[in-house]
Amino acid sequence: MRNTKNNVTLIGNMGSSAQITNFKNGSKVARFNLATSGRSETEWHRVFAWGNMAHFIEKFGKKGREVAIHGRLVNRTYLNKEGKKRQVTEVEVKHIMGL
């Protein structure tokens, strides 16, 4: 059963153009950082999207572009270059809109 309570909506600016990874099976993922501003500080969020969302972001997303995204939080663990285990929280984009 899918968890429908895991939702996040953010409005901010892309910190860079998306990094695109193409896979042999034809799928693609787009990754970028999103800056959101509060009263006195900027917070950075790691964002990624698959499939059609990745195609859209690759074509229209660029550094500084203001976007609204809606998606879900994803926690993942990986090994860094030194072989140390790291955990990150990212936002998986389900919908994006340029503002």
Side-chain angles (χ1 to χ4, degrees):
M1 185 175 188
R2 209 169 149 192
N3 182 358
T4 57
K5 293 181 182 179
N6 181 356
N7 292 294
V8 62
T9 300
L10 298 170
I11 297 174
N13 296 87
M14 293 179 66
S16 64
S17 294
Q19 177 185 6
I20 306 298
T21 304
N22 293 294
F23 297 96
K24 290 180 182 179
N25 67 3
S27 66
K28 106 179 8 190
V29 64
R31 294 185 177 280
F32 63 94
N33 290 319
L34 185 73
T36 57
S37 297
R39 293 177 189 232
S40 61
E41 64 182 58
T42 298
E43 291 189 39
W44 289 93
H45 312 274
R46 294 171 65 135
V47 178
F48 71 96
W50 291 98
N52 291 335
M53 285 290 118
H55 286 284
F56 179 83
I57 291 165
E58 180 179 30
K59 190 170 184 178
F60 296 105
K62 59 185 174 192
K63 183 178 181 175
R65 178 89 192 247
E66 186 177 23
V67 295
I69 63 168
H70 181 75
R72 68 185 189 101
L73 294 176
V74 176
N75 295 305
R76 70 179 177 92
T77 303
Y78 68 97
L79 296 178
N80 69 9
K81 292 178 183 177
E82 292 79 37
K84 293 187 178 182
K85 192 175 180 181
R86 298 285 183 217
Q87 185 171 10
V88 295
T89 300
E90 299 174 305
V91 178
E92 181 180 7
V93 176
K94 296 298 183 185
H95 304 283
I96 186 167
M97 180 174 56
L99 301 176

